[in-house]
Amino acid sequence: MSRNATPSSFGWDFQINAAIVLMLENIKTIKSVRVEGKKEDIELFLESKKNIYAQAKSVMRIDDYRNVRSNLKAGLETLNDDAACDDYHKLIYVTNSPNPFNVENSMSAFYGHSRLSYNDLPQSCKEIIDKEIENKPLIHIDKSELEIHVIPFFTDDFQQRYRVIKDSVDKFLFELNNNTRGMADELLEIWQHEFFQNCTQGDLDLVIKKKDLMWSIIVLQSQLHPEHTFLGDYDDGAVEEIIRSYRYLINNRCEKFEFISQVLFDFQEFRSDEKGNKKVAEFIATKCDDYKDVFELNEIRDEVQDIVVKIILQKIITNRFLANDIVKKVNL
């Protein structure tokens, strides 16, 4: 027996990245995600209290069809178990094989990144599913809620392996806000790390909340650089400490979008004779102390607390259009 763990690691990699794609495809309706959950490889929890269950199976070589039929059979059996509970909205079998049924004349239906409902499958593929359901029998599967997804995911060249995943993130960001273009690589890396951590957590009740995933976009858009206007009067040592403290606070602030909403509401209600940046500066100078209580400033040096909170308020107001777009377009 081979002790090489590469196939298992590849399988985990595919499962994590397939979860990101499925999450983005259902971003408006989901509330949270679990990778390697209580029931399935990928579990999407919807606002409607229903769930999408996805069984992920991968092969390492694009032309290796030896096990795709047995993978499909095992996947359908697990999805049947999921369907026994009346809490599902959709059942998905997701694989990277371009020939998931090992039927060569059906391969054109699965070209590229494909998503097919049972009804849209080639007749030869429907018959294979029908036979598996009848033989077992898999009595709980409602074929009208069953989908077969294929996500191209091959090679040791990571640019090529993650190409479809990155394209999905790029498309999502393009539709979200003009200012988020160009951050797909960084955002994908953050999400891959979060999804990997989630699938290794033994407490299966731990999920990734949609609003925490979306917060990563705000963090990336709000990165603080030494050239920031507020840092011009500080020496290099102080600037480094301010940037470190800023990152700590913006990454650990709880109830993140709720805090943004409160700041933007206060800014909208703030009465001033000034306009534009002068109004922003007056608001920050006037209100800074009011917000200090909501941060865990005990981890921050006293001499930099004031400037860090001011920068956070300035970043929130500067990125208010992005924050509003996120809230509206992903249904937060």
Side-chain angles (χ1 to χ4, degrees), residues 95-256:
T95 180
N96 64 338
S97 174
N99 186 12
F101 290 83
N102 198 14
V103 177
E104 288 202 23
N105 62 14
S106 74
M107 290 180 67
S108 60
F110 303 103
Y111 179 77
H113 180 194
S114 63
R115 298 171 289 270
L116 296 179
S117 68
Y118 169 84
N119 288 332
D120 291 332
L121 289 171
Q123 186 58 34
S124 56
C125 301
K126 286 183 183 178
E127 290 172 0
I128 290 171
I129 290 179
D130 292 345
K131 185 177 179 181
E132 293 295 342
I133 289 176
E134 182 180 353
N135 286 348
K136 192 64 181 175
L138 307 176
I139 61 174
H140 300 297
I141 288 183
D142 178 352
K143 290 183 285 189
S144 68
E145 304 294 347
L146 177 65
E147 293 183 359
I148 307 296
H149 292 206
V150 173
I151 301 174
F153 190 88
F154 289 102
T155 86
D156 292 336
D157 178 348
F158 292 144
Q159 288 291 329
Q160 180 63 23
R161 181 188 295 184
Y162 300 132
R163 181 179 56 80
V164 170
I165 319 301
K166 187 195 167 190
D167 287 349
S168 296
V169 177
D170 252 335
K171 180 175 181 291
F172 166 71
L173 291 173
F174 177 79
E175 294 172 351
L176 187 65
N177 184 283
N178 286 336
N179 292 331
T180 58
R181 295 177 183 178
M183 66 167 64
D185 284 328
E186 286 183 281
L187 184 60
L188 176 57
E189 188 174 340
I190 291 171
W191 283 351
Q192 285 172 329
H193 178 68
E194 291 190 37
F195 278 59
F196 173 75
Q197 284 190 325
N198 181 241
C199 77
T200 62
Q201 291 172 308
D203 183 350
L204 300 182
D205 289 324
L206 292 175
V207 297
I208 313 172
K209 296 178 181 177
K210 177 167 68 175
K211 61 183 180 181
D212 290 337
L213 291 167
M214 296 302 107
W215 183 252
S216 299
I217 300 171
I218 296 290
V219 171
L220 286 175
Q221 188 62 26
S222 305
Q223 291 185 47
L224 180 59
H225 302 286
E227 299 79 18
H228 191 279
T229 307
F230 282 17
L231 301 179
D233 295 332
Y234 293 85
D235 62 55
D236 291 347
V239 168
E240 187 174 326
E241 182 65 17
I242 291 167
I243 292 176
R244 187 196 66 77
S245 301
Y246 171 83
R247 287 174 180 161
Y248 171 81
L249 285 183
I250 201 167
N251 284 323
N252 291 282
R253 172 78 194 118
C254 296
E255 305 301 328
K256 302 171 175 98

Side-chain angles (χ1 to χ4, degrees), residues 37-98:
K38 292 179 181 177
K39 296 181 179 178
E40 263 306 346
D41 293 338
I42 302 166
E43 300 175 350
L44 305 178
F45 303 102
L46 309 184
E47 294 283 358
S48 65
K49 310 295 184 187
K50 294 286 188 177
N51 307 322
I52 295 174
Y53 293 115
Q55 173 71 195
K57 298 288 187 188
S58 62
V59 293
M60 287 197 68
R61 285 181 29 226
I62 194 170
D63 57 352
D64 181 1
Y65 311 139
R66 291 172 300 171
N67 298 316
V68 295
R69 191 73 70 82
S70 60
N71 285 345
L72 174 68
K73 180 180 179 181
L76 291 174
E77 289 178 5
T78 306
L79 292 171
N80 182 67
D81 293 340
D82 303 332
C85 301
D86 189 27
D87 66 347
Y88 77 96
H89 168 71
K90 191 184 297 181
L91 303 172
I92 297 174
Y93 177 76
V94 56
T95 180
N96 64 338
S97 174

Side-chain angles (χ1 to χ4, degrees), residues 269-284:
E269 295 295 306
F270 184 67
R271 295 291 171 252
S272 170
D273 293 331
E274 302 290 354
K275 296 185 182 300
N277 289 336
K278 290 184 177 179
K279 179 184 177 184
V280 174
E282 183 181 350
F283 172 80
I284 293 172

